[in-house]
């Protein structure tokens, strides 16, 4: 009669090449290689929905740093965060940022009385204004022209998703009349 001895997976021969491959993979994926800190672009929190200015200098994105959902602006050339007072209001959520050419204007979605609206933040005046207070339907995905005059977004005011173009008018200060950038003092989020 044949004797039966069970074999468990731990008793099987180990393929050492597989062990070394997995170990080197784990070592190469170490999170210590990613720069993390209060002035770093990367963090241990969720960061999403990036928008890049036309000149490639400024990056706006949504982050969950500091325990709150906020829209942050990062200066890629200086490698530091840009102060945006008045942009992130308490108990509101900002989404889908879009930047003009030099990052002076930021179009984004926020909430007004519980419904989404398109808002515009001007870094030069440090003020935010709601651009779509009268739209009955939902709005999403705003985009801004390089000079800051035109805002495009999707709206469901007719029961389907349509595209709207909002002309802010000819009498506003454009983002790049002289090609100059807007410089504000840095801060950490």
């Amino acid at each position: 009669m044949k004797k039966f001895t069970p074999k468990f997976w731990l008793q099987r021969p180990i393929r050492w090449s597989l062990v070394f491959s997995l170990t080197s993979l784990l070592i190469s994926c170490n999170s210590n290689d990613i720069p993390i800190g209060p002035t770093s672009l990367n963090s241990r929190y969720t960061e999403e929905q990036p928008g890049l200015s036309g000149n490639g200098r400024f990056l706006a994105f949504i982050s969950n740093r500091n325990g709150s959902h906020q829209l942050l602006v990062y200066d890629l050339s200086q490698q530091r965060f840009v102060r945006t007072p008045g942009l992130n209001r308490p108990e509101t959520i900002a989404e889908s940022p879009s930047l003009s050419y030099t990052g002076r204007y930021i179009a984004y979605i926020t909430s007004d009385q519980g419904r989404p609206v398109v808002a515009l933040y001007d870094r030069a005046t440090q003020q935010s204004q709601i651009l779509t207070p009268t739209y009955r339907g939902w709005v999403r995905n705003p985009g801004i022209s390089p000079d800051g005059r035109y805002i495009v977004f999707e709206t469901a005011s007719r029961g389907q998703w349509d595209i709207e173009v909002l002309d802010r008018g000819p009498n506003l200060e454009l983002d790049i009349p002289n090609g100059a950038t807007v410089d504000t003092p840095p801060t950490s989020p």
Side-chain angles (χ1 to χ4, degrees), residues 38-159:
T39 60
S40 173
L41 180 58
N42 296 305
S43 77
R44 298 193 186 281
Y45 298 95
T46 301
E47 286 156 347
E48 57 191 357
Q49 304 174 19
L52 190 64
S53 65
N55 63 1
R57 180 175 175 183
F58 295 100
L59 173 70
F61 60 96
I62 305 302
S63 177
N64 286 325
R65 295 178 189 215
N66 303 325
S68 66
H69 189 87
Q70 55 190 338
L71 194 158
L72 300 177
V73 179
Y74 190 79
D75 185 337
L76 294 168
S77 66
Q78 301 289 321
Q79 296 187 356
R80 61 185 181 186
F81 284 94
V82 176
R83 285 181 22 96
T84 53
L87 177 60
N88 295 300
R89 298 178 307 169
E91 300 179 19
T92 61
I93 294 177
E95 303 264 326
S96 305
S98 176
L99 288 89
S100 59
Y101 185 76
T102 65
R104 174 180 177 172
Y105 296 112
I106 304 169
Y108 62 100
I109 297 290
T110 190
S111 60
D112 181 41
Q113 300 176 358
R115 74 185 163 96
V117 292
V118 176
L120 181 79
Y121 181 77
D122 184 346
R123 285 186 36 230
T125 63
Q126 300 179 347
Q127 293 182 350
S128 189
Q129 66 179 4
I130 295 174
L131 299 177
T132 59
T134 60
Y135 278 79
R136 293 184 187 141
W138 292 88
V139 294
R140 67 180 184 187
N141 298 327
I144 190 166
S145 64
D147 63 4
R149 178 174 174 174
Y150 300 98
I151 310 289
V152 297
F153 56 93
E154 297 173 37
T155 179
S157 61
R158 296 184 324 131

Side-chain angles (χ1 to χ4, degrees), residues 78 175 184:
Q78 301 289 321
D175 183 8
T184 56

